Amino acid sequence: MNEKEHEEIKVPISESYTLSIEEAAEYFGIGQTRLRRLIKLNPGADYLISIGNRTRIKRIKFEHFIDSASVL
């Protein structure tokens, strides 16, 4: 395999379907501690997805959640 086949494709955060907690904190301007608390309090929320032992945040669904929330 050549070098190009090993290159990682980097998708901008604003176009990613799911975000890590770190990426979501940066993108939404919410602290990681607050995001972790939201995840813990809402484990079945439709904006969350578990991949193995990691929890990812569905960006667009979380945007809708924030739009409808008055307090986080």
Side-chain angles (χ1 to χ4, degrees):
M1 291 188 180
N2 63 32
E3 188 177 320
K4 283 191 175 188
E5 292 176 5
H6 290 288
E7 287 182 25
E8 202 174 304
I9 298 172
K10 196 71 170 163
V11 177
I13 290 176
S14 62
E15 295 179 18
S16 293
Y17 182 75
T18 64
L19 304 173
S20 67
I21 292 172
E22 294 80 10
E23 290 169 333
E26 180 181 335
Y27 183 79
F28 292 107
I30 300 171
Q32 290 183 31
T33 303
R34 177 64 48 109
L35 285 172
R36 292 180 198 283
R37 190 175 311 139
L38 281 171
I39 290 167
K40 187 175 182 179
L41 293 173
N42 303 289
D46 68 341
Y47 56 81
L48 297 176
I49 185 167
S50 294
I51 303 172
N53 64 349
R54 298 194 184 263
T55 299
R56 304 277 297 184
I57 298 170
K58 297 176 187 175
R59 183 182 52 81
I60 294 172
K61 289 193 181 253
F62 194 66
E63 286 176 2
H64 293 302
F65 170 74
I66 290 175
D67 287 343
S68 65
S70 57
V71 177
L72 288 181

